[in-house]
Amino acid sequence: MTDTPSRTDTLRISIAQLNPTVGDVTGNLAKAREARAEAAAHGADLVMLTELFISGYPPEDLVLKPAFLKACLTAVEELAAETADGGPGVVIGFPRQCEAGRHNSVALLDGGKIVAIRDKVDLPNYGEFDEKRVFVAGDMPGPVNFRGVRIGIPICEDIWGDLGVCETLAESGAEILLSPNGSPYYRGKVDVRHQVVLRQVIETGLPMVYANQLGGQDELVFDGASFAFNADKTLAFQMSQFEQTQYVSTWKRSADGWRCDSGPVSKIPTAEEADYRACMLGFRDYVNKNGFKSVVLGLSGGIDSAICAAIAVDALGEERVRTVMLPYRYTSQESFTDAEACAKALGCHYDTVPIAEPVEGFLSALSEMFEGTESGITEENLQSRTRGTILMAISNKFGSMVVTTGNKSEMSVGYATLYGDMNGGFNPIKDLYKMQVYALSAWRNSHVPPGALGPSGEVIPANILSKAPSAELRPNQTDQDSLPPYPVLDDILECLVEKEMSVDEIVARGHDIATVHRVEHLLYLAEYKRRQSAPGVKITKKNFGRDRRYPITNRFRDR
């Protein structure tokens, strides 16, 4: 007599959209246990966690360390043993070592043991992904049998690529597809994911559950927004974006296959709200997961430091944010007024530390060497570097992380000072162009994002949004003395960076060829600065660092 699993016609799947921490195997195991207990309390049969959940994603070269892989396997085995209690089974991602090499894997746990393991087939090797460095591809998978239901478990890129993983699962008898993902945010990503899943639903004729990780990991932000589509292409449920949550979906078998009872459909935020919340989540997790109790930033009275202060207060609360005005002789009264008003509106700590004495000290020390030379950018940069040194001293004294505040437009063309305003541990607006900074600042003045700890109302004074931006390193200076108008600059940069367009193509959009050539030259020239810059939240499809890896030594120009 064969032992055949009994058939079930109802399956309750709990999707756990949680925030793991890379390397915190013990903490991630605790989160998995809590998710299973939550699922059991709501009558779930199976709890679904995300890609490489037990290790945190992406673990990068941590998986090259045998002790780390052993810790991950031990944790999965402990969780498997706990399923002997008759409660929900578990789908959980983990890295594993076998004779063939290291795999990005998922385990099905039930009845006190690891019932099945499946390995990721399609390893992404583009943009922020380089899994082929550390993992080997798995074999084409078949479905796993969970309490009489044949479930296919394609892992993340297995549904994004063209290797036919989902078709193979369907052809080998899968009845439903559960896809654990570690899909980072960029603007408009939810719609992209929907289209990816719909393509697989159409090709296989099977419903699919898409579970995505939540939380910040260095530059990357995982925005959750898990969902499912029925086989008839209807949206079964949509979980919230940027929020840790868990939802039990009920699936019923019919003559036409499995179908999910209609569940909640959370509203997906607008582009401005999504970008702001991504910056907030990425910043919060970077600070908290790395153990910083507080942050400090220079508040100049300009738009970039103002929005960084707002993000910091929204992410951490006013009591954990210190702002410092660092004035010199070129600092206008308008900047004093705006900086103080911004700090007051946000409710955060505000100090003033004049820099005249240390700047004059540096100039005095260098006066003999600089005798007979013209005063210029060197003396301007001394102001910025003095400010950077003072902020780092405050950081050392009080243990606060320095927040650096340069936007993507400035970082693109090198309009920033190494060891000066580039000092800091993290930059929440590193991947926002200048005009996007203005748009998000205006949005924040009219909205309080969910989960924000900051106040409502106008937190960035209107005058900051309306006045001409200036570094205030010399009399009557504005950014446009050195750069094209920001709407022009941002469009050229987006063409060069995100779209890799040629100079001729950019000129065809109506831009002056000399301006395009100059911006391209500055972009290439500033690579050495960007290599030394702080990490920052990825918002666009191509951020500096993970996505765009240009050489520092580079003589190519598109002429």
Side-chain angles (χ1 to χ4, degrees):
M1 178 177 175
T2 59
D3 184 15
T4 305
S6 59
R7 174 186 167 102
T8 181
D9 292 325
T10 301
L11 186 64
R12 291 172 60 80
I13 304 172
S14 179
I15 296 88
Q17 182 174 292
L18 306 181
N19 188 344
T21 299
V22 168
D24 186 9
V25 178
T26 301
N28 296 339
L29 174 59
K31 288 178 183 287
R33 284 176 170 140
E34 291 169 6
R36 184 169 181 266
E38 174 78 9
H42 289 84
D45 303 299
L46 181 66
V47 57
M48 180 183 178
L49 293 147
T50 50
E51 181 178 14
L52 292 180
F53 183 85
I54 208 70
S55 63
Y57 184 83
E60 302 188 76
D61 285 7
L62 261 179
V63 298
L64 303 181
K65 190 171 282 295
F68 180 65
L69 295 176
K70 182 178 179 181
C72 291
L73 178 60
T74 299
V76 171
E77 289 173 340
E78 286 182 21
L79 188 61
E82 294 166 17
T83 63
D85 61 7
V90 180
V91 170
I92 189 167
F94 73 110
R96 73 182 186 101
Q97 180 75 48
C98 65
E99 288 185 8
R102 286 176 302 276
H103 286 288
N104 178 337
S105 304
V106 66
L108 173 63
L109 318 178
D110 196 32
K113 61 184 179 181
I114 298 175
V115 175
I117 292 175
R118 294 294 183 265
D119 302 318
K120 191 173 184 176
V121 178
D122 196 347
L123 300 176
N125 205 53
Y126 58 86
E128 64 268 32
F129 304 109
D130 52 6
E131 289 192 24
K132 289 183 179 179
R133 286 188 67 248
V134 295
F135 292 121
V136 296
D139 296 328
M140 276 292 186
V144 299
N145 201 317
F146 176 72
R147 303 182 186 179
V149 182
R150 293 175 65 80
I151 298 173
I153 312 179
I155 304 171
C156 199
E157 194 71 14
D158 289 342
I159 72 169
W160 290 74
D162 298 313
L163 297 186
V165 175
C166 293
E167 292 91 330
T168 298
L169 287 165
E171 289 166 1
S172 53
E175 301 170 57
I176 185 172
L177 301 175
L178 307 184
S179 181
N181 280 257
S183 175
Y185 173 82
Y186 61 71
R187 194 175 300 118
K189 190 72 171 284
V190 173
D191 287 340
V192 176
R193 296 181 190 130
H194 281 191
Q195 293 307 311
V196 166
V197 169
L198 278 171
R199 179 170 68 96
Q200 298 295 355
V201 168
I202 291 168
E203 290 181 1
T204 63
L206 298 176
M208 181 182 290
V209 178
Y210 181 104
N212 192 33
Q213 179 174 308
L214 183 80
Q217 172 58 29
D218 297 342
E219 301 100 322
L220 302 179
V221 171
F222 298 90
D223 54 315
S226 305
F227 62 94
F229 276 100
N230 286 306
D232 63 3
K233 299 177 285 184
T234 57
L235 183 65
F237 61 84
Q238 173 67 65
M239 294 168 68
S240 57
Q241 195 176 19
F242 304 110
E243 295 176 6
Q244 183 164 280
T245 186
Q246 193 165 343
Y247 168 67
V248 178
S249 58
T250 301
W251 296 79
K252 294 181 179 177
R253 190 200 303 264
S254 70
D256 297 322
W258 288 92
R259 181 175 181 83
C260 180
D261 287 350
S262 46
V265 177
S266 297
K267 183 180 179 182
I268 299 302
T270 63
E272 287 79 12
E273 179 182 344
D275 284 353
Y276 191 94
R277 293 176 69 182
C279 292
M280 192 174 80
L281 176 58
F283 182 78
R284 174 186 289 154
D285 275 359
Y286 189 87
V287 172
N288 289 340
K289 289 181 179 182
N290 286 290
F292 292 103
K293 302 301 183 187
S294 60
V295 298
V296 60
L297 69 151
L299 196 61
S300 67
I303 188 76
D304 297 324
S305 62
I307 192 174
C308 286
I311 291 169
V313 170
D314 283 340
L316 306 175
E318 61 187 49
E319 69 282 355
R320 296 177 65 187
V321 180
R322 177 192 292 264
T323 60
V324 186
M325 162 56 92
L326 298 147
Y328 189 53
R329 67 178 68 165
Y330 306 123
T331 302
S332 67
Q333 184 56 49
E334 184 180 39
S335 293
F336 272 109
T337 301
D338 290 341
E340 186 174 4
C342 183
K344 185 176 181 180
L346 289 166
C348 57
H349 192 90
Y350 177 74
D351 291 300
T352 300
V353 180
I355 67 168
E357 190 173 341
V359 169
E360 299 304 326
F362 280 123
L363 291 173
S364 176
L366 292 164
S367 60
E368 185 175 340
M369 184 180 293
F370 286 3
E371 187 176 358
T373 65
E374 292 289 328
S375 179
I377 195 167
T378 300
E379 287 73 16
E380 293 178 18
N381 285 344
L382 266 177
Q383 299 167 50
S384 180
R385 292 189 172 115
T386 300
R387 291 183 173 111
T389 299
I390 290 172
L391 289 172
M392 289 307 302
I394 294 169
S395 172
N396 288 161
K397 180 60 71 174
F398 300 108
S400 304
M401 186 195 79
V402 176
V403 181
T404 186
T405 62
N407 61 69
K408 191 171 187 176
S409 305
E410 295 171 352
M411 296 304 300
S412 294
V413 296
Y415 196 65
T417 305
L418 273 175
Y419 325 120
D421 58 323
M422 287 178 64
N423 278 5
F426 196 77
N427 182 350
I429 64 168
K430 184 179 181 178
D431 203 28
L432 291 174
Y433 289 111
K434 188 75 168 189
M435 298 311 296
Q436 292 166 348
V437 169
Y438 279 104
L440 265 61
S441 298
W443 179 86
R444 177 59 183 89
N445 275 348
S446 302
H447 304 82
V448 181
L453 301 176
S456 60
E458 184 180 273
V459 294
I460 299 173
N463 191 59
I464 290 179
L465 285 129
S466 61
K467 68 183 180 182
S470 171
E472 293 192 323
L473 299 175
R474 61 178 182 268
N476 303 313
Q477 181 185 22
T478 68
D479 290 4
Q480 263 58 75
D481 297 340
S482 307
L483 300 173
Y486 279 116
V488 173
L489 178 62
D490 288 359
D491 188 66
I492 294 172
L493 287 171
E494 189 170 352
C495 291
L496 288 169
V497 176
E498 269 79 34
K499 300 175 183 177
E500 299 287 2
M501 290 170 64
S502 70
V503 167
D504 287 345
E505 290 172 318
I506 300 170
V507 171
R509 292 168 63 89
H511 292 294
D512 171 65
I513 189 168
T515 302
V516 177
H517 279 153
R518 178 167 172 260
V519 171
E520 181 206 33
H521 177 68
L522 292 173
L523 174 66
Y524 288 148
L525 205 62
E527 188 63 40
Y528 80 99
K529 288 187 178 182
R530 290 191 291 271
R531 292 284 186 97
Q532 299 179 66
S533 64
V537 178
K538 171 183 165 67
I539 295 295
T540 66
K541 290 186 72 172
K542 189 173 285 189
N543 75 333
F544 291 125
R546 283 182 174 270
D547 296 334
R548 188 181 185 276
R549 307 179 191 183
Y550 269 62
I552 295 173
T553 305
N554 169 25
R555 289 189 178 179
F556 175 76
R557 300 295 184 269
D558 184 6
R559 298 290 185 267

